[in-house]
Amino acid sequence: MLEEVERWLDRRSWSVADRPMERILAAKRNTRVSVVLPALNEEATVGDIVAVIRRELMSEAVPLVDELVVIDSGSTDRTAEVAAAAGARVVARDAILPRIPAVPGKGEVLWRSLMVTSGDIVCFVDADLRDFSADFVTGIVGPLLTDSDIDFVKATYDRPFDTGLDASASGKTPGQGGRVTELVARPLLNLHWPQLAGFVQPLGGEYAARRSLLERLPFPVGYGVELGLLVDALHTVGLDALAQVDVGVRKHRHQDERALGRMAAAIYRTAQLRLSRGHLVRPRLTQFERGEDGFTPRTYAVDTEERPPMVDITEYTRRRVA
């Protein structure tokens, strides 16, 4: 590990307990904080997450979060209804910037969320978390409020992997579950962006940043958004403006191997663009599924689109002027 990264780990890696709520609220002053939950068919979990944030971070006693928005990216279940009932403002993805047709992908939703939020600090939280704790928000928002030289904060945590065993055999493997992180993202970062080697969860979906930074960054529309934002933030503001906070344990729904393969391909493609900005030879991934007659190939397009920095969007700049 680079000496620069070792120093960064000492200076820019914290625990959620390092900043008591009293200190965070005292530092908030007039800074507005927006929390965004990108959601697609998450009726089982989104309501609990919204309820915890409303109850613990938006009360008169703890007015940390000013705005809580769920961006529904075309759910076919009751995600929007459940989120609204729990107290979130729900906005449909396709209703944001209708001039630009929406494409599927998490990064697309995060990019569009900048148009319908107003916080000086924007905090992203995945909507599939179970046993959600408000620490996920306070941990990553805290450094942005208390340290003016911090611009981007990632949450770090253990990710227990469900082995499928019964309860008596535990069924959980501590510290695992980030398979794409360990097999794809971490090697890419260590080899090509070694300054980012200190991030424990580079692909984690819980992070917060200043709007003044986010609006200047391009957003990969799909699974590559987390790696893309991290790499571009490094090049835009430098390593010392980035930080991470340990918030404990993250429990969420795990995806199957084929979905992880598509995620890995998108992440590799995101890295490839940032390394060369060159021609993509074959932005597709073929996987195999066993059927009655043996293995059947299934080919998927690897998303190759990115949204430009939001400051380049006319509607966004007009909104700021207004």
Side-chain angles (χ1 to χ4, degrees):
M1 183 177 290
L2 299 175
E3 291 185 7
E4 178 185 6
V5 177
E6 292 181 349
R7 293 193 298 270
W8 177 84
L9 282 169
D10 288 336
R11 299 185 62 249
R12 293 295 190 242
S13 290
W14 298 292
S15 164
V16 66
D18 291 336
R19 288 175 176 77
M21 181 61 74
E22 295 78 8
R23 180 186 173 194
I24 294 174
L25 290 176
K28 185 176 187 291
R29 300 186 181 89
N30 295 323
T31 304
R32 286 184 55 80
V33 175
S34 299
V35 174
V36 172
L37 276 67
L40 176 62
N41 296 329
E42 303 293 357
E43 67 175 358
T45 51
V46 68
D48 290 340
I49 298 172
V50 169
V52 169
I53 295 173
R54 292 282 304 181
R55 181 177 65 249
E56 300 186 23
L57 302 178
M58 300 182 74
S59 67
E60 185 175 344
V62 185
L64 179 64
V65 174
D66 301 283
E67 185 176 42
L68 176 55
V69 182
V70 170
I71 309 293
D72 182 18
S73 57
S75 297
T76 56
D77 65 2
R78 298 175 60 250
T79 290
E81 180 182 341
V82 170
R89 176 162 65 95
V90 179
V91 183
R93 176 200 61 195
D94 294 355
I96 307 169
L97 279 174
R99 173 178 65 84
I100 303 174
V103 297
K106 179 183 179 182
E108 177 83 354
V109 176
L110 301 185
W111 181 73
R112 289 175 186 264
S113 76
L114 297 181
M115 274 296 304
V116 294
T117 55
S118 60
D120 307 293
I121 292 171
V122 182
C123 172
F124 299 122
V125 175
D126 282 350
D128 66 343
L129 302 187
R130 294 182 283 111
D131 301 331
F132 178 77
S133 167
D135 287 349
F136 275 83
V137 175
T138 58
I140 56 180
V141 168
L144 294 165
L145 291 171
T146 63
D147 298 75
S148 60
D149 51 351
I150 299 293
D151 289 318
F152 188 98
V153 184
K154 295 279 290 190
T156 183
Y157 32 67
D158 289 319
R159 294 181 63 185
F161 181 67
D162 191 341
T163 64
L165 300 175
D166 59 34
S168 63
S170 169
K172 301 291 182 181
T173 304
Q176 297 186 17
R179 290 163 286 175
V180 177
T181 292
E182 299 303 330
L183 297 175
V184 180
R186 200 176 308 286
L188 283 171
L189 292 176
N190 277 262
L191 291 170
H192 299 295
W193 296 281
Q195 286 180 299
L196 298 175
F199 278 92
V200 179
Q201 296 289 356
L203 300 185
E206 290 69 47
Y207 47 100
R210 299 190 191 281
R211 176 178 295 271
S212 57
L213 171 61
L214 291 173
E215 65 186 11
R216 289 184 285 156
L217 302 180
F219 277 62
V221 298
Y223 287 129
V225 64
E226 270 80 32
L227 184 135
L229 290 178
L230 188 60
V231 169
D232 291 342
L234 171 69
H235 290 306
T236 303
V237 295
L239 180 61
D240 206 47
L242 315 182
Q244 64 184 349
V245 176
D246 186 349
V247 297
V249 178
R250 184 186 198 266
K251 299 178 183 179
H252 67 117
R253 182 186 66 254
H254 292 283
Q255 301 194 58
D256 64 33
E257 284 77 7
R258 284 187 290 272
L260 293 178
R262 297 190 289 275
M263 181 185 297
I267 289 166
Y268 181 80
R269 163 261 169 190
T270 300
Q272 180 189 38
L273 285 180
R274 278 151 182 78
L275 286 169
S276 65
R277 299 291 174 181
H279 176 64
L280 289 177
V281 177
R282 188 175 183 271
R284 293 182 177 274
L285 174 72
T286 298
Q287 298 176 316
F288 295 87
E289 300 176 8
R290 181 182 285 280
E292 295 181 359
D293 300 321
F295 286 100
T296 302
R298 295 281 187 268
T299 300
Y300 302 89
V302 175
D303 57 83
T304 57
E305 186 170 356
E306 296 195 0
R307 294 306 189 186
M310 190 57 82
V311 290
D312 294 340
I313 301 299
T314 302
E315 292 91 332
Y316 185 79
T317 56
R318 286 175 178 169
R319 190 196 71 164
R320 296 182 68 189
V321 171

